[in-house]
Amino acid sequence: MNRYSWWQYTILGIALVVGLLYTAPNFFGEAPAVQVSSAKVTLKVDSSLVGRVEQILRDGGLQPDFVQLDGHSVKARFGDLDAQQKAKDALTRALNPNPEDPAYIVALNLLSRSPAWLTRVRALPMYLGLDLRGGVHFLMQVDMRTALTKRAEGVTGDARTLLREKNIRHAGISRENDRVEIRFRDAATLEAARVELSNRQPEFLWTPTAEAEPRLIGTLKPEAARAVQDAALKQNITTLHNRVNELGVAEPVIQQQGADRVVVQLPGVQDTAKAKDIIGRTANLEFRLADMSTEARAALDGSGPVPFGRERMGFGRGAPVIVHREAIATGDMLTDAQPRPDQNNQPAVSVTLDAKGGRQMRDVTRENVGNFMAAILFEKGKAEVLTVARIQSEFGNQFQITGMGTTEAAQDLALLLRAGSLAAPMEIIEERTIGPSLGRDNIDKGFDSVIYGFFAIAAFMCAYYLLFGVFSTLALAFNLLLLVAVLSMLQATLTLPGMAAIALTLGMAIDANVLINERVREELRGGAAPQMAIHAGYERAFATILDSNVTTLIAGIALLAFGSGPVRGFAVVHVLGILTSMFSAVMFSRGLVNLWYGRQKRLKGVSIGQVWKPDTPAQPGARA
């Protein structure tokens, strides 16, 4: 009756071993480390940099615990803060001989002290949030006026093309900030242009002016302006995510705050200046026509000036070239980029643009077959020509960038293009550095609250339910072990609200054991035999436990679906805690009870505390 089969105990044993294995890394703590990552999106970090870092550290008399390639960065772990600082200085001097144009970002970081064998089986500690681990916090404001100006600039070009297609003559088109102005010679032409523009550009409000020279003023409608601003904010958040993720910062937090602000949190990064470099790694990509005329060649040779409307560019791996100032398409028009060989089986990048970018690309390439087009990367105020290719034929929203040289170069460029560009500039308006000492203090307080809560619950359960209280306490410890292990396996981020959820889970988990114990007491009170009381107690309490946990789980899922930031961190731990408590409170505690009492055939009693029985009233006619 009260016996588990071998496979049930096997499941419990496996769960216990997995729990111990994946919980253990969280108790080793963190060690100071130095992280080396690329400061330029075209400079790839690979295994060759590992050997270079090891050699620099050896030359500086420094002995790291290890140096390894981790994603898009090289990390070296040290035993103390003094060695960490010396290593950073040595690596900065050796890797960045020109401080004004650094090739690598050398930043302070923290790494787990877990043994290598735990890391090999992917037993990793939980990520800690900014409030527990320390790091840097930035509040960035998006320049929404620039986003509106860029939209107006795009409409200016579209309006010029539309009026030319409809053969509507105008006296000039200009743009002032986010306002488009079109001049006409007569009112009839103005009205015809207004009708066409209103149909093709419905998000703009086209207003005629009653002046000597007829003019049409185009401004964004309020709802369209809000849509442009929302799109710019979302694109900037996506771009920041892509850039920061490439640098291997563990669990960054990048989220919207208000209508025009973005919060960026980088846990574990203690160097504010380097953190600014990390989040500042946002590049803009443009496709422009290249000028190969005689005047342009003379400008490259230095024998003549740069032609009007052109500029000279020659940075990085791109050759010096004269390009037009007006862009054909920009990175925010790109929807996909994949490295694929061209028709000659040479490395190339296949690019897909949105509808607007495809239309502009089609119009320009149709008129410039045989000419050259340059892909230019703008990063930190500097321009780098990535490639210059001949336009073989007209193409629209899908085309290839050829002349990449190597497959690796094509892969790097495709990754860069997919990462996107900023839709509008951003400015840091607030920055804070949270030191690891404050994070350690928060961890200690959170750990103490969980431990004190656990021992208080254990003391009450053991005193009130005796041996069954001991079983309940062991099941509670098993639940806590499983919860931490699952969070570690999922590589969840633990914050202070998450630690509060762990403490709350302890109180909720023990409730299931209280229901079971009281149900067993009720069966004993009703006169049931001990073995039957144990069996009936677990069977009949399960429905109540399931109902109470499902209703709580629904509330947790709602928090998980609609919450953000600290609320979402609380919800993740809360939901996982409910699932682990169901398993531990019912299956694990019953396994202990069955192991202890199930082998006794003639069980006379169980140690479950005082079983209060009601007084039996005297029968009529009975003697006292």
Side-chain angles (χ1 to χ4, degrees):
M1 181 183 296
N2 293 320
R3 298 229 178 151
Y4 269 174
S5 58
W6 64 269
W7 63 267
Q8 290 174 303
Y9 280 114
T10 301
I11 291 175
L12 292 176
I14 292 174
L16 181 61
V17 171
V18 170
L20 290 171
L21 182 66
Y22 283 90
T23 300
N26 295 283
F27 294 95
F28 288 97
E30 293 180 315
V34 174
Q35 173 179 305
V36 180
S37 52
S38 173
K40 299 179 179 180
V41 290
T42 53
L43 182 61
K44 188 175 182 180
V45 173
D46 53 24
S47 57
S48 62
L49 184 61
V50 175
R52 190 176 172 189
V53 169
E54 290 175 340
Q55 184 61 46
I56 294 171
L57 295 177
R58 278 196 300 269
D59 295 342
L62 297 168
Q63 183 61 42
D65 296 339
F66 61 80
V67 179
Q68 65 181 15
L69 178 65
D70 186 6
H72 297 277
S73 63
V74 174
K75 296 178 180 178
R77 193 180 75 182
F78 298 90
D80 54 75
L81 295 174
D82 185 53
Q84 179 197 36
Q85 189 61 49
K86 290 180 179 178
K88 181 196 172 186
D89 295 340
L91 291 170
T92 301
R93 288 192 303 269
L95 296 176
N96 296 323
N98 182 10
E100 296 181 358
D101 186 22
Y104 295 95
I105 296 174
V106 184
L108 303 179
N109 210 328
L110 298 170
L111 290 178
S112 173
R113 297 182 185 270
S114 300
W117 68 271
L118 280 176
T119 305
R120 283 195 293 270
V121 297
R122 301 299 299 169
L124 304 173
M126 284 181 286
Y127 287 126
L128 299 180
L130 198 68
D131 49 1
L132 297 179
R133 195 184 190 196
V136 291
H137 167 100
F138 294 105
L139 181 61
M140 308 182 73
Q141 187 161 19
V142 181
D143 186 357
M144 291 302 184
R145 182 162 293 277
T146 300
L148 297 176
T149 300
K150 290 178 67 175
R151 181 71 186 99
E153 185 176 348
V155 169
T156 301
D158 292 344
R160 184 179 291 108
T161 302
L162 175 63
L163 295 179
R164 183 171 63 248
E165 291 176 352
K166 298 298 181 179
N167 198 23
I168 299 176
R169 297 183 177 276
H170 58 85
I173 300 179
S174 61
R175 178 190 56 79
E176 182 178 355
N177 295 328
D178 56 349
R179 191 178 73 164
V180 180
E181 179 181 308
I182 309 176
R183 297 183 298 277
F184 297 91
R185 293 183 176 86
D186 57 80
T189 308
L190 181 148
E191 181 60 23
R194 188 190 67 79
V195 172
E196 291 293 341
L197 290 170
S198 297
N199 291 334
R200 294 286 292 272
Q201 301 289 345
E203 73 273 17
F204 262 67
L205 182 64
W206 299 97
T207 307
T209 60
E211 297 180 358
E213 182 184 22
R215 291 187 300 166
L216 198 59
I217 306 298
T219 56
L220 271 171
K221 296 178 181 178
E223 60 273 14
R226 286 193 295 270
V228 169
Q229 292 173 341
D230 291 342
L233 190 62
K234 290 178 181 177
Q235 181 178 333
N236 281 11
I237 291 175
T238 301
T239 301
L240 287 174
H241 264 297
N242 293 332
R243 296 299 184 201
V244 172
N245 288 341
E246 286 182 26
L247 295 172
V249 178
E251 290 298 303
V253 175
I254 304 173
Q255 60 189 17
Q256 179 179 345
Q257 184 178 87
D260 60 349
R261 294 181 177 181
V262 178
V263 172
V264 179
Q265 295 180 349
L266 305 179
V269 177
Q270 298 299 318
D271 193 327
T272 307
K274 295 305 178 184
K276 288 182 180 179
D277 285 339
I278 290 174
I279 63 173
R281 287 193 54 200
T282 50
N284 292 316
L285 185 81
E286 292 185 0
F287 295 99
R288 299 188 188 182
L289 286 176
D291 190 348
M292 298 297 180
S293 64
T294 304
E295 294 82 2
R297 291 194 181 94
L300 289 175
D301 296 338
S303 58
V306 176
F308 178 77
R310 316 287 194 271
E311 60 182 316
R312 175 192 173 109
M313 292 184 180
F315 292 91
R317 62 191 179 199
V321 64
I322 303 297
V323 298
H324 291 245
R325 291 184 178 273
E326 185 178 357
I328 305 172
T330 57
D332 56 346
M333 300 176 182
L334 185 140
T335 59
D336 190 25
Q338 298 293 335
R340 294 191 180 98
D342 61 12
Q343 57 185 1
N344 298 319
N345 205 30
Q346 296 299 312
V349 177
S350 180
V351 174
T352 303
L353 300 177
D354 60 14
K356 178 183 176 182
R359 185 176 67 253
Q360 295 180 186
M361 186 66 70
R362 186 179 299 107
D363 293 341
V364 173
T365 54
R366 182 190 305 125
E367 300 171 359
N368 290 275
V369 174
N371 293 334
F372 290 83
M373 184 176 67
I376 306 165
L377 176 69
F378 292 87
E379 186 177 23
K380 297 182 181 179
K382 296 181 179 180
E384 180 178 352
V385 177
L386 298 176
T387 181
V388 178
R390 183 184 294 274
I391 301 174
Q392 302 288 353
S393 61
E394 173 191 336
F395 49 84
N397 65 331
Q398 289 187 337
F399 60 94
Q400 282 191 322
I401 302 175
T402 59
M404 298 307 301
T406 64
T407 302
E408 185 179 82
Q411 292 173 346
D412 291 346
L413 179 59
L415 178 63
L416 167 66
L417 298 182
R418 289 196 303 273
S421 60
L422 286 179
M426 304 180 73
E427 179 185 0
I428 297 175
I429 60 175
E430 178 188 340
E431 63 179 73
R432 296 199 306 269
T433 301
I434 301 176
S437 58
L438 178 60
R440 171 52 57 185
D441 186 52
N442 288 336
I443 292 175
D444 292 341
K445 289 182 178 179
F447 185 78
D448 289 345
S449 65
V450 172
I451 291 299
Y452 292 154
F454 177 84
F455 280 112
I457 293 172
F460 170 79
M461 293 296 291
C462 293
Y464 195 68
Y465 293 111
L466 301 182
L467 186 57
F468 267 70
V470 175
F471 295 150
S472 300
T473 301
L474 293 176
L476 187 63
F478 181 71
N479 175 45
L480 184 60
L481 184 73
L482 278 188
L483 178 58
V484 175
V486 171
L487 289 172
S488 300
M489 285 189 284
L490 296 177
Q491 287 292 273
T493 300
L494 183 65
T495 60
L496 277 177
M499 297 197 78
I502 292 177
L504 178 63
T505 298
L506 295 179
M508 294 173 58
I510 204 63
D511 181 62
N513 289 108
V514 170
L515 289 174
I516 293 171
N517 294 344
E518 287 299 328
R519 186 66 190 182
V520 173
R521 278 184 171 184
E522 185 176 344
E523 295 294 330
L524 292 173
R525 192 179 300 122
Q531 292 285 14
M532 182 61 70
I534 294 174
H535 178 76
Y538 275 95
E539 292 294 328
R540 295 175 182 176
F542 179 75
T544 305
I545 295 170
L546 182 63
D547 291 343
S548 63
N549 279 278
V550 166
T551 53
T552 310
L553 185 63
I554 292 173
I557 292 175
L559 287 176
L560 189 62
F562 301 106
S564 62
V567 174
R568 189 177 180 85
F570 176 90
V572 169
V573 181
H574 177 67
V575 169
L576 292 176
I578 292 173
L579 299 178
T580 57
S581 66
M582 285 285 293
F583 178 77
S584 61
V586 177
M587 188 170 181
F588 186 79
S589 66
R590 187 168 188 179
L592 294 175
V593 172
N594 289 352
L595 192 65
W596 186 266
Y597 287 115
R599 55 188 173 83
Q600 301 180 33
K601 294 182 179 180
R602 297 181 180 180
L603 184 62
K604 296 182 179 180
V606 293
S607 177
I608 198 172
Q610 180 65 44
V611 179
W612 301 101
K613 294 184 179 181
D615 295 333
T616 303
Q619 297 295 328
R623 294 181 178 273

